[in-house]
Amino acid sequence: MTRLARLVFCALALSAASAGLLAPGSSAAQDRAPEQAAAAYRRAVSHRRAGQLEEAAAAAEEAIRLRPSHAAAHFTLGAVRRQQNRLEDALVAFRRVAELEPQSQEAQAMLGAVLARLNRCEEALVPLQRAGARSARDAASWGNLGACLRRLRRVEEAIHAYEQALVQIPDEPDLLNNYAVALRQAGRPEEAIAALEGAMARHPDSPDVHLNLAIAYRSIQRYPEASREYEAWYRLVPAPSDPGPLFDLGFCYEQTNRRDDAVRIYRVYPGLVSGRDAQ
């Protein structure tokens, strides 16, 4: 059974210097009311900090109407729409920031992150690669790049991207988990197990880590260890939406002569038996 690991996302802030820059080729004469636009932008930031997202969006849109070249207002609007899960609207806003400030690492990072959230991984690669190239410390972009590359089955490149992210945040459980999944998919299960055991030491109650560790053990026929990790996952997720791992647990029980335990698991979800005699 293959399980897609979660993507890692990070909220980024536009630099203070970027907030006052005009787009190349524009001029103050093109802006209708710079002072009013600045005031509207400050309101947008204040509303967003207070969690008043609709008010923040309205103020950012007002700033943009008054000053179309206001990159920070476009960025704030994109960030608000992303928080609201209005990803297509966020994408429009971040594309505009990237047009206004093509050298902005933050704009590329957020553009790539939103495209990744939309599962448009091919499109996400270029902005994420640009963001990573401009800042080796941008763990979020490296993590998102790894996730997209893995979904595109470019596993060795994904491993490299995850390793760049882990330099910055070596204890991040989701990142370690995703890295281990890529290692396993690349046929490196022992390395995957080492990474997952490291994640487990820091985050013993992570269902995803237990599950992927179980899968890695099962892939090299270490059935007792796989059973242990499937059991830990099941304790943390007693009513799984996907019962597939329970079938895998039953299989591991059978491989270790724990027939009664296998029958017990198969009876939880009778459809898992698939022709087996569980009586």
Side-chain angles (χ1 to χ4, degrees), residues 170-242:
D171 294 340
E172 167 56 45
D174 287 338
L175 185 57
L176 280 167
N177 187 59
N178 295 355
Y179 174 54
V181 171
L183 287 168
R184 179 173 55 80
Q185 291 174 334
R188 296 157 63 179
E190 296 290 354
E191 294 175 71
I193 288 169
L196 288 164
E197 287 177 341
M200 187 64 62
R202 300 177 183 92
H203 305 278
D205 295 327
S206 169
D208 286 344
V209 174
H210 280 292
L211 180 57
N212 282 306
L213 190 51
I215 294 169
Y217 279 130
R218 183 177 181 271
S219 72
I220 55 173
Q221 300 181 4
R222 290 173 59 177
Y223 298 117
E225 294 95 332
S227 298
R228 181 192 68 212
E229 297 304 328
Y230 280 123
E231 289 167 348
W233 168 80
Y234 191 30
R235 284 194 296 272
L236 293 165
V237 188
S241 58
D242 175 10

Side-chain angles (χ1 to χ4, degrees), residues 108-124:
Q108 296 296 327
M110 292 303 287
L111 179 58
V114 171
L115 285 166
R117 279 274 299 273
L118 289 166
N119 291 321
R120 292 162 62 173
C121 285
E122 286 280 6
E123 294 177 70

Side-chain angles (χ1 to χ4, degrees), residues 10-267:
C10 175
L12 301 170
L14 192 63
S15 65
S18 297
L21 291 178
L22 295 175
S26 67
S27 69
Q30 292 177 297
D31 294 327
R32 299 173 186 174
E35 293 181 5
Q36 293 93 322
Y41 170 67
R42 289 193 294 272
R43 289 198 302 277
V45 171
S46 178
H47 283 308
R48 184 176 176 227
R49 286 175 178 168
Q52 300 166 334
L53 298 184
E54 280 301 334
E55 292 85 348
E61 287 170 340
E62 181 183 356
I64 292 165
R65 178 179 61 81
L66 293 167
R67 185 182 172 194
S69 63
H70 202 315
H74 285 285
F75 191 96
T76 296
L77 179 59
V80 169
R81 294 311 188 200
R82 189 177 69 89
Q83 284 180 265
Q84 295 174 315
N85 206 37
R86 292 175 54 176
L87 298 180
E88 292 291 349
D89 292 332
L91 183 60
V92 170
F94 289 129
R95 283 198 195 281
R96 182 59 178 145
V97 180
E99 291 170 359
L100 291 167
E101 297 191 12
Q103 299 306 311
S104 168
Q105 185 270 340
E106 294 95 336
Q108 296 296 327
M110 292 303 287
L111 179 58
V114 171
L115 285 166
R117 279 274 299 273
L118 289 166
N119 291 321
R120 292 162 62 173
C121 285
E122 286 280 6
E123 294 177 70
L125 293 183
V126 170
L128 290 173
Q129 288 166 337
R130 287 174 178 168
R134 292 172 187 173
S135 175
R137 299 175 62 85
D138 184 1
S141 289
W142 282 111
N144 284 326
L145 179 59
C148 282
L149 287 166
R150 191 172 64 79
R151 288 190 174 187
L152 295 170
R153 303 185 184 279
R154 294 165 58 175
V155 181
E156 292 294 342
E157 293 171 83
I159 289 170
H160 172 74
Y162 286 135
E163 288 172 344
Q164 296 300 309
L166 285 166
V167 170
Q168 304 303 322
I169 46 174
D171 294 340
E172 167 56 45
D174 287 338
L175 185 57
L176 280 167
N177 187 59
N178 295 355
Y179 174 54
V181 171
L183 287 168
R184 179 173 55 80
Q185 291 174 334
R188 296 157 63 179
E190 296 290 354
E191 294 175 71
I193 288 169
L196 288 164
E197 287 177 341
M200 187 64 62
R202 300 177 183 92
H203 305 278
D205 295 327
S206 169
D208 286 344
V209 174
H210 280 292
L211 180 57
N212 282 306
L213 190 51
I215 294 169
Y217 279 130
R218 183 177 181 271
S219 72
I220 55 173
Q221 300 181 4
R222 290 173 59 177
Y223 298 117
E225 294 95 332
S227 298
R228 181 192 68 212
E229 297 304 328
Y230 280 123
E231 289 167 348
W233 168 80
Y234 191 30
R235 284 194 296 272
L236 293 165
V237 188
S241 58
D242 175 10
L246 294 179
F247 179 87
D248 294 336
L249 174 56
F251 175 82
C252 291
Y253 282 152
E254 292 189 61
Q255 300 308 304
T256 52
N257 297 315
R258 296 172 61 179
R259 175 66 175 171
D260 291 343
D261 288 327
V263 169
R264 173 177 54 82
I265 288 296
Y266 293 144
R267 282 177 173 165

